[in-house]
Amino acid sequence: MPGKCWSAVYRIAIMDWKRWIRSSRLIVCGILLIFIQIQIIDPMQEAAALMNSKLSVMEPFTALGNSGVIVLILPILFLVLMAGFPQKDDIELFYLIRCNKRVWVWGQLLLAILISVALILSLLVLSAIMLGGSGEWNPDYSVTITQFTAVFPERSGSYVVQLIPENLYNHMSLSSAVLHTGLLLFLYFMLLAMILLLSALMNQRLYGILTDGALILLGTVGCAMRTGWMWGFPMAHTIPWLHYTAYLRKPVFPLSGSYFYFLILDLLLFFACMLAAKHYQPGRKG
């Protein structure tokens, strides 16, 4: 695209970003932080106190992306934050008059990227801050994570052990776990956003929401049952530890395969959006 088109893409994304950041929907992020404090931070702090050690500041975020409960909440939170995406109002009509439809689609794509990155980085930073005095900078897993069951074998089935299971720390360094958790969450969020964008371009917004909801629900059920068909849904590909057994080096499903899964689906949806943009009729509700 010419330079003027890229400038228009940037302006569209930034304008919608400013509208999104002022949205009352961000209140749900505060509710999520309370949930994280109760479900992630408090159990990890109690375990650290029993071990008389500190946690790594990166471990809570790793637990966020690998906990069965929280990893269900995160895509639902993303859907709530993306409610109304893309915006279909008078400002949208103004954009489409001033630029072509494909430029507008690129702007919405950039907006989805900004929101996804902002949410993931906020979770990383805020979860580290919420540790308070129980956390320290440590590029490796803390002894609380790696040795808790050895010191307290009677607690081997406790909830805190499941936050960062041995399937993860036996096969992947903490920095790699944080990187893969963040990247896979990003690709998952983009998949959900592209479905919403495509359905809006087809003036069938409700179908997009229902499709995203079905993907989240069925993926969660598959992961809970540990069935082979769970790999057909994005949820399983988002959780790094599901790719490994506790001790065997050979992965259950290659991590590279999950990246390939997301990239293929995201690209197909993007091209579908570009095709749908040619026939999109702005101003129609749906």
Side-chain angles (χ1 to χ4, degrees):
M1 289 191 299
K4 286 185 178 181
C5 290
W6 285 117
S7 177
V9 168
Y10 175 78
R11 288 197 300 270
I12 289 170
I14 293 302
M15 181 64 70
D16 283 344
W17 165 263
K18 291 178 180 178
R19 297 168 66 194
W20 179 81
I21 205 70
R22 294 193 295 265
S23 171
S24 59
R25 289 189 294 271
L26 291 180
I27 295 173
V28 300
C29 291
I31 300 173
L32 176 65
L33 292 179
I34 296 173
F35 192 78
I36 291 173
Q37 180 69 45
I38 296 172
Q39 295 291 323
I40 302 290
I41 304 299
D42 288 347
M44 295 183 77
Q45 286 178 327
E46 291 173 7
L50 290 172
M51 292 290 292
N52 194 27
S53 67
K54 289 184 178 293
L55 295 158
S56 169
V57 294
M58 295 188 292
E59 286 174 335
F61 177 76
T62 306
L64 280 174
N66 290 275
S67 166
V69 177
I70 301 296
V71 83
L72 168 63
I73 299 298
L74 290 180
I76 294 176
L77 168 71
F78 183 76
L79 277 185
V80 172
L81 293 177
M82 296 294 282
F85 172 83
Q87 294 289 335
K88 301 180 73 172
D89 51 22
D90 292 339
I91 296 180
E92 175 222 22
L93 289 174
F94 174 76
Y95 289 156
L96 291 169
I97 291 172
R98 295 293 301 272
C99 64
N100 66 54
K101 297 174 184 178
R102 290 186 174 181
V103 169
W104 179 79
V105 170
W106 275 104
Q108 298 308 310
L109 175 64
L110 179 57
L111 174 63
I113 291 173
L114 290 174
I115 294 174
S116 300
V117 171
L119 178 57
I120 292 169
L121 290 180
S122 296
L123 290 172
L124 174 62
V125 173
L126 291 175
S127 61
I129 293 173
M130 290 165 69
L131 269 184
S134 301
E136 63 178 3
W137 173 255
N138 183 357
D140 299 317
Y141 293 103
S142 65
V143 295
T144 301
I145 298 301
T146 59
Q147 300 181 26
F148 186 77
T149 54
V151 177
F152 301 100
E154 69 280 5
R155 296 172 178 256
S156 59
S158 63
Y159 172 74
V160 69
V161 175
Q162 301 171 27
L163 293 177
I164 303 181
E166 55 191 351
N167 304 52
L168 189 65
Y169 63 73
N170 280 342
H171 298 281
M172 192 180 295
S173 67
L174 180 58
S175 56
S176 294
V178 171
L179 178 63
H180 289 303
T181 298
L183 287 176
L184 290 170
L185 272 176
F186 169 76
L187 292 171
Y188 189 11
F189 290 162
M190 289 303 299
L191 176 64
L192 298 176
M194 296 300 289
I195 291 173
L196 293 178
L197 179 57
L198 178 60
S199 64
L201 289 169
M202 298 172 66
N203 292 304
Q204 299 291 339
R205 189 191 297 272
L206 177 60
Y207 289 123
I209 296 172
L210 292 177
T211 300
D212 279 350
L215 287 176
I216 295 170
L217 179 60
L218 292 174
T220 303
V221 172
C223 290
M225 297 174 63
R226 303 288 180 84
T227 59
W229 55 263
M230 70 180 182
W231 298 108
F233 295 90
M235 180 71 78
H237 295 279
T238 310
I239 306 173
W241 73 264
L242 278 179
H243 293 72
Y244 302 96
T245 60
Y247 303 107
L248 296 179
R249 190 170 186 83
K250 185 178 180 180
V252 176
F253 191 94
L255 205 58
S256 59
S258 291
Y259 283 104
F260 185 74
Y261 171 92
F262 277 120
L263 288 174
I264 291 298
L265 287 182
D266 285 345
L267 286 173
L268 287 175
L269 284 168
F270 173 71
F271 289 129
C273 287
M274 285 299 180
L275 290 174
K278 294 175 61 178
H279 307 287
Y280 177 51
Q281 298 180 18
R284 286 184 57 189
K285 299 297 181 182

